[in-house]
């Protein structure tokens, strides 16, 4: 030919064959890569803590083992020696042992026992007050003993005087505290207790605990009492733990802590004496309530004195409670004793049972004159007063009912039946007993609820408690409808909307669980009827949300759900936007989770479009990006599940409607563009690439949808990638002019790419993203045929002009990397047959048929691009950029080696110059260069690249001196 050829000829088929991995027949036998490996391990124990003789054992393991760890049998000799020498490590070991023991103690009742800690928050939230509270406080000056008398009796006398001092009036009363002030003050006392203990002021600590315990005898603000009990007993628990750990630390022998199940015989005399001293101090407290609570707090310490200490103390403490006159104070004292008893001796159930039966004997006090007079003074109604007992009685019954035999539960139930005004007890029985026990006797409980006195404990609360049990366990099948009818008769008559919704929320679950959509619809209609007057629903959003959650949990077939007539009217009650959006999100999450197959059901589509529109319309300028992302993900999940099958026109109409509805959420628009592109490719698949006039027009409509929608996106890289992707789809569907339009739009958009873009909320340089996009673009441009009215390679030339004019960072070599990728493209364009094609689209290899003028144009472009690369390499000749120059020279050399025709003398000489430039200043990657030279020598042995022999001789390797 009359021109210098730059690109080498390629036979892609033969190159592919040469590069294929050699296939080796493999006999698997019993081997499978996922089968567990069995390691037979022979290990010699050369070391034992007690100096035993070494022994050899062989063991087989069914999983991977660490041979180093297994030889040591879990013990590291260095750690052992260090532990023996280091007291800090010893203390840490003791702490971990103590934590393990505490864990074991708490787990003695099993994970199926609901702990007190889970009830604590609920009680504090429920029992609040706006009335002013008072607290007895002490000026702690003078609390700390300064007496240092040598005689023991002097010290004891001083401490007793200090205790007397507390009881005789070193206190002052803080009045008019708000609930928050009161809670803060209690927290301060808790901290004071810890501080006093850590500074070895044990008497001061005891004083604080006594002072706090006294507060539990005060019922002046009666509705706050349950919360006060929670706060004060936190302090008592802290005290009990501090005393126990103090005595336990005194039992250490040679830095070894007591075992978990120690016996009193292993406790030394000093520890026993200290323990007795604490019990004697507490016994000297004059008032009953503080004496009871403080002794109960350190009940666990009886383990240091005798094996039967706890079992002897519990009945005595139970009897002490009989001396407390106020029934509310007494029942919480019983609850605390049960709580401590379950922690330290859960096996001693008889004492707990006696505690409860004692309570039953005094139950009639609750309705006595003394209590009635107190309630009149405080202006508290009986129903409200009775609810104050619930946390305590619930807890006592939970402790007794835990793993109790049916006989005992039945006996307790019968005893409660015999008492008059037993609604309070009945409620606690339903709260504490096993759900299965209650469910099996549902009709009995309904009978008892009916007999309860209407003026006492509210009946709707009893039905609510029953409903909570029936949500956990199923009643007998024959009774189910009657149970619902009996309960709903009472619930629907409730006048107070808050009482009504609290009950209805629970029974909706029972209805959804056991009945059809007809019954569910009836219940929803009743809720709407009760909650719409006076906009009562505005105060009940949490309960209404809970109802929706329960309905969609049990009815997750959405065609069935939306056929429930009252479901959408129910949603209309959520008129506060934030709540409404949360409910819509909840419904959409359920749809995406449970909808297995795509749908075209008009009822589902209309309802969910309405719900998605609600979510979309909530977006404004203040909406967080995370929230937008979540809403878009839910809407996209819905869009992906919509399919009209072969009715592609209906599908496109749906996407057009969705675009108009969700225009403010960019990820949704992106998804719609992808979906429409997929629709065009589905059409092509159905037509097997041979479009009819109708399908060709439809595909052009899809392409037009994308071309119109892409400019509305704000993210520039989303636009670039979608122009490219949509252009590829248009090309695949033989829409050549439309494909050109997409590619031209992408080319014209490149200059607008900013230097920095936001990625996951952080600003990043855009160069790497632009490089990735352009490489993908070049791969597509190979198969794009030239337009008959435009010049040769008009798109490639346009893109090169844009790249030339783009302002690149001074410290960036991306421009050169892009130009080398352009050389890869131009090399591929000179081949007789391209490496890949688009079906039914003639690329330039077919259009030009290897025409010499076309090849000459490509070679001119190659020379222009090479000149640009060499100019850039010259600019890197300064000392600070020599390393970059070396790397780029080697990169360009490899490009010429892979794609260039090195029989061309100019190109051959250029490659030698680049090789020398790469190692000229000592910055060369010697390892890579050695491997490259080895590759050239290997290639030179092939007949079609024999000219590599001369090249290899002209490529010296320099040392890095």
């Amino acid at each position: 030919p009359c021109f210098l050829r730059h690109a080498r000829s390629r036979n892609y088929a033969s190159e592919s064959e040469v590069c294929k991995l050699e296939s080796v027949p493999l006999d698997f036998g019993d081997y499978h890569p996922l089968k567990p490996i069995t390691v037979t391990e022979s290990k010699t124990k050369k070391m034992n803590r007690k100096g035993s003789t070494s022994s050899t054992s062989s063991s087989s393991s069914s999983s991977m083992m660490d041979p180093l760890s297994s030889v040591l049998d879990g013990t590291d000799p260095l750690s052992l020696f260090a532990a023996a020498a280091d007291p800090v490590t010893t203390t840490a070991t003791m702490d971990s042992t103590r934590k393990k023991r505490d864990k074991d103690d708490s787990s003695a009742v099993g994970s199926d026992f609901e702990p007190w800690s889970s009830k604590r928050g609920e009680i504090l939230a429920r029992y609040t007050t706006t009335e002013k509270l008072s607290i007895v406080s002490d000026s702690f000056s003078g609390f700390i003993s300064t007496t240092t008398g040598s005689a023991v009796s002097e010290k004891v006398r001083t401490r007793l005087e200090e205790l007397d001092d507390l009881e005789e009036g070193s206190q002052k009363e803080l009045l008019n505290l708000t609930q928050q002030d009161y809670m803060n003050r209690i927290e301060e006392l808790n901290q004071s207790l810890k501080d006093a203990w850590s500074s070895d002021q044990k008497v001061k600590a005891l004083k604080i605990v006594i002072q706090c315990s006294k507060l539990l005898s005060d019922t002046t603000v009666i509705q706050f009492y349950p919360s006060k009990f929670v706060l004060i007993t936190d302090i008592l628990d802290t005290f009990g733990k501090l005393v126990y750990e103090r005595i336990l630390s005194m039992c250490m022998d040679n830095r070894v802590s007591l075992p978990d199940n120690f016996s009193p015989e292993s406790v030394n005399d000093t520890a026993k004496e200290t323990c007795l001293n604490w019990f004697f101090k507490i016994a000297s407290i004059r008032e009953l309530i503080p004496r009871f609570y403080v002794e109960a707090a350190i009940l666990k310490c009886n383990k240091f004195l005798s094996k039967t200490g706890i079992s002897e103390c519990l009945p005595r403490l139970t009897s002490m409670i009989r001396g407390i006159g106020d029934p509310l104070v007494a029942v919480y004292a019983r609850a605390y004793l049960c709580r401590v008893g379950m922690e330290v001796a859960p096996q001693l159930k008889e004492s707990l049972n006696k505690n409860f039966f004692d309570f039953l004997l005094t139950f009639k006090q609750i309705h006595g004159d003394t209590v009635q007079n107190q309630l009149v003074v405080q202006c508290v109604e009986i129903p409200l007063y009775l609810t104050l007992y619930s946390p305590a009685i619930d807890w006592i019954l939970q402790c007794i009912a835990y793993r109790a035999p049916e006989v005992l539960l039945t006996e307790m139930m019968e005893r409660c039946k015999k008492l008059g005004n037993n609604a309070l007890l009945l409620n606690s029985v339903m709260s504490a007993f096993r759900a299965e026990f209650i469910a099996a006797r549902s009709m009995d409980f309904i009978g008892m609820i009916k007999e309860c006195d209407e003026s006492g404990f509210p009946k709707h609360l009893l039905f609510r408690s029953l409903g909570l049990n029936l949500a956990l366990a199923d009643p007998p099948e024959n009774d189910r409808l009657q149970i619902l009818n009996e309960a709903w008769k009472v619930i629907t008559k409730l006048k107070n909307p808050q009482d009504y919704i609290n009950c209805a929320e629970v029974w909706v679950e029972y209805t959804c669980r056991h009945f059809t959509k007809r019954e569910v619809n009836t219940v929803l209609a009743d809720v709407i009827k009760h909650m719409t007057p006076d906009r009562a629903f505005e105060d009940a959003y949490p309960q209404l949300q809970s109802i929706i959650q329960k309905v969609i949990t049990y009815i997750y077939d959405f065609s069935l759900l939306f056929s429930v007539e009252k479901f959408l009217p129910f949603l209309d009650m959520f008129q506060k936007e934030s709540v409404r959006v949360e409910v819509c999100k909840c419904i959409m999450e359920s749809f995406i989770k449970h909808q297995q197959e795509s749908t075209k059901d008009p009822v589902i589509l209309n309802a969910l479009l309405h719900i998605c529109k609600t979510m979309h319309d909530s977006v404004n300028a203040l909406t967080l990006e995370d929230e937008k992302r979540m809403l878009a993900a839910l809407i996209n999940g819905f869009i992906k599940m919509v399919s009209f099958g072969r009715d592609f026109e209906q599908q496109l109409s749906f996407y057009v409607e969705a675009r108009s509805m969700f225009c403010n959420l960019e990820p949704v628009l992106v998804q719609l563009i992808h979906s429409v592109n997929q629709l065009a490719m589905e059409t092509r698949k159905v037509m097997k690439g041979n479009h009819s006039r109708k399908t060709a027009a439809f595909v052009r409509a899809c392409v037009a949808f994308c071309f119109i929608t892409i400019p509305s996106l704000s993210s520039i890289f989303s636009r670039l990638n979608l122009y490219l992707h949509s252009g590829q789809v248009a090309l695949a569907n033989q829409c050549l002019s439309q494909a050109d339009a997409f590619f031209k739009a992408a080319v014209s958009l490149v200059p607008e790419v900013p230097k920095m873009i936001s990625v996951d909320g952080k600003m990043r340089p855009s160069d790497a993203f632009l490089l990735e996009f352009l490489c993908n673009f070049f791969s597509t441009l190979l198969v794009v045929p030239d337009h008959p009215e435009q010049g040769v390679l008009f798109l490639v030339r346009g893109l090169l002009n844009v790249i030339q004019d783009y302002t690149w960072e001074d410290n960036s070599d991306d421009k050169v990397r892009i130009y080398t990728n352009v050389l890869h493209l131009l090399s591929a364009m000179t081949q007789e047959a391209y490496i890949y094609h688009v079906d039914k689209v003639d690329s330039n290899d077919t259009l030009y048929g290897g025409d010499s003028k076309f090849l000459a144009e490509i070679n001119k472009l190659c020379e222009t691009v090479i000149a640009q690369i060499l100019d850039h390499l010259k600019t890197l000749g300064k000392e600070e950029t020599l390393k970059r120059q070396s790397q780029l020279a080697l990169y360009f050399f490899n490009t010429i080696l892979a794609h260039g025709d090195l029989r061309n003398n100019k190109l051959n000489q250029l490659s030698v110059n680049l090789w020398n430039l790469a190692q000229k200043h000592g910055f060369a990657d010697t390892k890579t260069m050695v491997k490259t030279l080895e590759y050239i020598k290997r290639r030179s042995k092939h007949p079609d690249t024999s000219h590599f022999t001369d090249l290899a001789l002209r490529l010296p390797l320099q040392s890095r001196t």
Side-chain angles (χ1 to χ4, degrees):
C2 60
F3 57 88
L4 292 170
R5 184 182 177 87
H6 288 96
R8 70 184 178 90
S9 298
R10 307 284 289 269
N11 184 334
Y12 292 119
S14 63
E15 282 184 39
S16 177
E17 283 300 318
V18 170
C19 294
K20 272 184 184 173
L21 292 173
E22 185 183 353
S23 57
V24 180
L26 180 61
D27 180 19
F28 282 98
D30 289 338
Y31 169 76
H32 187 279
L34 299 181
K35 190 176 178 183
I37 299 169
T38 303
V39 180
T40 305
E41 169 210 8
S42 178
K43 62 184 181 186
T44 306
K45 291 183 187 172
K46 293 186 177 177
M47 171 267 177
N48 194 299
R49 267 184 281 190
K50 295 184 181 173
S52 63
T53 55
S54 63
S55 62
T56 304
S57 65
S58 180
S59 67
S60 180
S61 163
S62 63
S63 59
M64 292 292 282
M65 294 184 70
D66 172 6
L68 297 177
S69 300
S70 56
V71 168
L72 294 168
D73 196 23
T75 57
D76 171 6
L78 296 178
S79 299
L80 286 174
F81 293 139
D86 185 1
V88 176
T89 311
T90 311
T91 310
T93 309
M94 194 187 91
D95 285 347
S96 66
T97 311
R98 184 185 304 138
K99 280 176 188 167
K100 181 174 179 293
R101 184 189 296 112
D102 288 348
K103 187 180 174 187
D104 291 345
D105 286 350
S106 65
S107 63
V109 291
S111 58
D112 54 337
F113 182 80
E114 188 184 359
W116 174 257
S117 55
S118 68
K119 297 177 180 294
R120 184 182 177 282
E122 187 189 333
I123 295 171
L124 288 173
R126 183 178 172 191
Y127 297 97
T128 58
T129 183
T130 52
E131 291 186 38
K132 297 298 182 185
L133 301 156
S134 64
I135 189 170
V136 174
S137 178
D138 292 274
S139 51
F140 285 124
S141 57
F143 270 27
I144 303 160
S145 173
T146 52
T147 314
T148 54
S150 56
V152 176
S153 59
E154 185 67 26
K155 189 175 180 182
V156 170
R157 190 183 312 120
T158 306
R159 291 198 169 181
L160 287 172
E161 282 170 2
E162 285 176 352
L163 284 172
D164 286 343
D165 198 33
L166 172 81
E167 297 201 79
E168 285 167 14
S170 64
Q171 310 129 317
K172 61 179 180 181
E173 193 170 10
L174 296 177
L175 301 170
N176 294 327
L177 298 175
T178 64
Q179 181 181 320
Q180 191 56 52
D181 292 338
Y182 190 92
M183 292 169 78
N184 293 342
R185 182 65 190 135
I186 295 291
E187 184 51 45
E188 284 171 24
L189 286 171
N190 201 352
Q191 192 55 49
S192 300
L193 168 65
K194 292 174 186 173
D195 294 344
W197 193 271
S198 60
S199 58
D200 206 28
Q201 298 171 28
K202 305 294 187 289
V203 170
K204 177 180 174 182
L206 180 58
K207 284 184 172 188
I208 292 169
V209 177
I210 294 170
Q211 175 195 337
C212 292
S213 304
K214 281 184 171 185
L215 296 172
L216 290 173
S217 59
D218 173 28
T219 56
T220 46
V221 183
I222 204 161
Q223 61 268 41
F224 183 64
Y225 191 85
S227 291
K228 184 200 287 190
F229 171 80
V230 168
L231 297 168
I232 302 295
T233 51
D234 283 350
I235 296 177
L236 289 163
D237 292 343
T238 303
F239 177 70
K241 191 177 177 188
L242 290 171
V243 173
Y244 183 81
E245 288 180 359
R246 162 78 177 143
I247 298 168
L248 187 66
S249 66
M250 297 172 76
C251 300
M252 279 187 64
D253 187 21
N254 296 326
R255 298 199 182 94
V256 177
S257 185
L258 283 178
D260 293 346
N261 52 348
F262 67 87
S263 65
E265 289 74 30
S266 56
V267 178
N268 60 46
D269 290 344
T270 312
K272 281 186 177 177
E273 187 181 337
T274 305
C275 186
L276 277 169
N277 189 23
W278 276 110
F279 280 111
F280 290 154
K281 278 180 190 168
I282 291 163
S284 68
I285 298 170
R286 293 173 189 168
E287 289 185 30
L288 171 62
I289 288 174
R291 185 166 74 249
F292 163 79
Y293 273 108
V294 180
E295 183 173 352
I298 67 161
L299 182 67
K300 191 176 180 182
C301 295
N302 279 287
K303 287 169 70 175
F304 297 111
L305 300 176
S306 73
K307 285 182 180 177
T308 57
I310 293 174
S311 59
E312 289 167 2
C313 266
L314 275 172
R316 181 171 56 77
L317 288 169
T318 302
S319 301
M320 278 172 71
I321 298 171
R322 293 175 184 172
I324 299 174
D326 189 315
L328 185 66
V329 177
V331 80
Y332 276 94
R334 294 184 194 284
Y336 187 66
L337 188 59
C338 285
R339 185 169 129 201
V340 175
M342 283 300 280
E343 282 175 20
V344 302
Q347 71 281 5
L348 298 174
K349 279 289 185 69
E350 284 138 22
S351 295
L352 301 182
N353 297 349
K354 181 173 181 283
N355 194 0
F356 178 67
F357 292 135
D358 262 13
F359 166 69
L360 290 184
L361 291 172
T362 58
F363 183 71
K364 58 179 182 290
Q365 278 185 289
I366 293 173
H367 300 279
D369 292 341
T370 312
V371 170
Q372 298 294 333
N373 295 338
Q374 185 185 11
L375 297 183
V376 169
V377 171
Q378 294 204 32
C379 303
V380 173
E381 299 289 329
I382 270 284
L384 173 62
Y385 174 68
L386 291 178
T387 58
L388 301 178
Y389 284 80
S390 293
I393 302 175
D394 290 355
W395 179 257
I396 295 168
L397 284 169
Q398 181 188 323
C399 295
I400 296 169
Y402 180 65
R403 292 182 183 171
E406 292 261 322
V407 182
L408 177 63
L409 298 182
T410 311
E411 183 198 343
M412 290 168 66
M413 189 174 145
E414 290 302 322
R415 285 219 189 180
C416 294
K417 258 188 189 179
K418 289 173 186 171
L419 290 168
N421 296 322
N422 64 352
L424 170 63
L425 278 175
L426 192 56
N427 188 62
S428 291
V429 163
M430 289 190 287
S431 300
F433 282 19
R434 287 189 292 275
E436 294 78 12
F437 179 89
I438 306 293
R441 299 163 178 76
S442 299
M443 291 308 298
D444 292 345
F445 277 96
I446 283 178
M448 286 190 276
I449 292 170
K450 280 180 168 179
E451 290 169 14
C452 287
D453 181 10
E454 194 66 56
S455 63
F457 195 87
K459 267 190 188 178
H460 66 87
L461 291 183
L462 297 175
F463 272 108
R464 186 175 191 278
S465 298
L466 180 61
L468 287 169
N469 280 286
L470 297 181
L472 299 172
D474 298 336
E477 196 163 343
N478 296 335
D479 295 340
R480 287 175 187 174
L481 185 57
Q482 192 182 350
I483 290 168
L484 179 61
N485 287 334
E486 292 289 350
W488 209 260
K489 265 187 226 166
V490 175
I491 296 167
T492 197
K493 287 177 185 171
L494 292 170
K495 296 284 186 285
N496 184 319
Q498 207 59 41
D499 292 344
Y500 171 83
I501 198 66
N502 284 335
C503 267
E505 174 205 352
V506 172
W507 281 88
V508 162
E509 183 164 4
Y510 174 77
T511 312
C512 294
R513 193 176 168 124
H514 299 296
F515 300 99
T516 64
K517 70 169 192 176
R518 181 170 153 270
E519 287 81 4
V520 173
N521 192 56
T522 306
V523 168
L524 293 182
D526 196 59
V527 174
I528 294 169
K529 180 182 156 190
H530 276 79
M531 301 309 291
T532 307
D534 302 324
R535 299 176 70 84
F537 53 77
E538 290 182 346
D539 299 320
Y541 284 138
Q543 293 92 332
L544 295 172
Q545 273 181 276
S546 173
I547 288 173
I548 287 286
Q549 184 69 60
K550 284 164 184 171
V551 170
I552 61 178
T553 300
Y554 288 96
I555 308 178
Y556 44 78
D557 175 350
F558 274 71
S559 57
L560 184 65
L561 178 68
F562 289 125
S563 67
V564 175
E565 189 187 336
K566 294 295 179 181
F567 183 74
L568 290 174
F570 190 93
L571 290 183
D572 291 337
M573 286 198 290
F574 295 99
Q575 294 191 7
K576 186 179 178 184
E577 188 183 58
S578 59
V579 181
R580 192 181 180 87
V581 171
E582 282 303 313
V583 171
C584 290
K585 278 158 66 174
C586 194
I587 294 169
M588 292 311 301
E589 281 165 6
S590 176
F591 176 78
I592 291 165
K593 180 180 176 183
H594 293 113
Q595 188 74 19
Q596 301 297 321
E597 297 172 356
S598 52
T599 181
K600 60 177 181 178
D601 184 329
V603 176
I604 294 179
L605 296 190
N606 288 330
L608 291 184
L609 274 173
H610 171 69
I611 286 167
C612 289
K613 177 74 173 143
T614 302
M615 294 196 300
H616 169 270
D617 292 350
S618 70
V619 174
N620 56 41
L622 301 177
T623 308
L624 297 173
E625 285 303 316
D626 278 353
E627 177 72 5
K628 286 184 189 175
R629 205 175 295 123
M630 182 189 289
L631 294 175
L634 292 172
I635 296 171
N636 285 345
F638 163 60
I639 289 169
K640 288 177 194 172
M641 292 306 296
V642 176
S643 171
F644 290 89
R646 285 291 185 88
D647 190 349
F648 291 163
E649 290 183 347
Q650 182 68 34
Q651 188 82 33
L652 183 59
S653 299
F654 169 76
Y655 291 143
V656 171
E657 185 184 358
R659 180 179 63 184
S660 67
M661 291 177 82
F662 309 127
C663 54
N664 289 333
L665 287 171
E666 191 160 304
V668 179
L669 294 178
V670 171
Q671 176 59 46
L672 288 169
I673 293 165
H674 283 308
S675 297
V676 170
N677 278 329
Q678 189 177 359
L679 188 61
M681 294 307 286
E682 283 286 326
T683 310
R684 178 180 181 275
K685 184 179 175 184
V686 169
M687 300 303 292
K688 297 180 180 170
N690 300 308
H691 283 299
S692 64
R693 184 179 293 179
K694 185 179 179 183
T695 59
F698 174 74
V699 165
R700 285 197 294 274
C702 290
V703 169
F705 175 98
C706 297
F707 195 75
I708 292 166
T709 311
I710 292 171
S712 64
L713 303 177
S714 61
S715 165
I716 194 155
F717 279 102
S718 290
R719 277 185 278 161
L720 282 170
N721 287 313
L722 285 168
Y723 274 134
L724 178 57
H725 185 226
S726 302
Q728 290 165 345
V729 170
L731 199 60
N733 283 285
Q734 301 124 52
C735 302
L736 300 184
S737 59
Q738 285 85 348
D740 279 351
F742 279 116
F743 296 140
K744 281 179 185 173
V747 170
S748 63
L749 194 59
V750 169
E752 296 177 25
V753 173
K755 296 288 171 289
M756 306 291 285
I757 56 167
S758 176
V759 179
D760 295 333
K762 293 181 181 176
M763 297 307 289
R764 307 270 188 213
S766 63
D767 293 4
F769 297 96
L770 184 56
L771 178 61
E772 182 188 3
F773 166 74
L774 289 172
C775 289
N776 288 337
F777 200 179
F778 296 146
S779 301
T780 303
L781 288 177
L782 174 63
V783 292
V784 177
D786 278 346
H787 195 285
E789 295 174 10
Q790 308 281 350
V792 176
L793 302 180
F794 74 102
L795 282 172
V796 177
R797 288 175 188 279
L799 189 54
L800 282 172
N801 290 334
V802 166
I803 293 166
Q804 173 65 25
D805 296 338
Y806 188 79
T807 310
W808 300 90
E809 293 289 333
D810 292 337
N811 60 348
S812 167
D813 298 318
D814 286 331
K815 188 174 181 179
V816 172
R817 296 186 190 282
I818 289 167
Y819 278 143
T820 50
N821 280 301
V822 171
L823 289 176
H824 302 169
L825 168 65
L826 294 173
S827 167
M829 282 181 159
T830 62
Q831 307 305 317
E832 285 183 26
Y834 290 172
I835 188 169
Y836 48 81
H837 293 87
V838 176
D839 189 32
K840 297 186 172 54
V841 173
D842 291 333
S843 298
N844 285 340
D845 56 342
T846 309
L847 294 180
Y848 291 108
D851 180 71
S852 58
K853 288 181 181 176
F854 174 65
L855 295 177
E857 286 292 328
I858 291 176
N859 281 308
K860 277 184 193 173
L861 273 179
C862 281
E863 286 176 2
T864 307
V865 171
I866 289 170
Q868 291 283 342
I869 294 171
L870 294 176
D871 286 346
H872 186 82
L873 283 172
K874 282 178 191 171
T875 64
L876 298 177
K878 296 171 191 168
E879 191 173 339
E880 63 271 17
T881 54
L882 289 175
K883 186 172 183 181
R884 280 166 57 198
Q885 186 189 56
S886 170
Q887 290 169 342
L888 282 178
L890 186 57
Y891 180 65
F892 188 25
F893 172 84
N894 283 325
T895 294
I896 294 172
L897 189 64
H899 300 279
D901 184 356
L902 289 169
R903 285 171 296 199
N904 176 328
N905 288 335
K906 280 174 73 176
L907 211 53
N908 194 306
Q909 184 56 50
L910 175 60
S911 65
V912 173
N913 293 344
L914 289 168
W915 179 270
N916 292 329
L917 180 62
Q919 50 187 353
K920 182 177 179 182
H921 300 287
F923 288 106
D925 183 348
T926 311
K927 194 174 176 183
T928 304
M929 297 191 83
V930 168
K931 287 184 176 177
T932 305
L933 195 53
E934 286 172 2
Y935 166 76
I936 293 168
K937 288 174 181 174
R938 268 200 317 277
R939 287 284 304 275
S940 67
K941 292 172 186 173
H942 291 275
D944 55 335
T945 51
S946 56
H947 56 283
F948 275 29
T949 308
D950 294 333
L951 178 65
L953 295 172
R954 298 176 65 199
L955 300 178
L957 271 176
Q958 294 178 8
S959 61
R960 301 182 83 184
T961 54

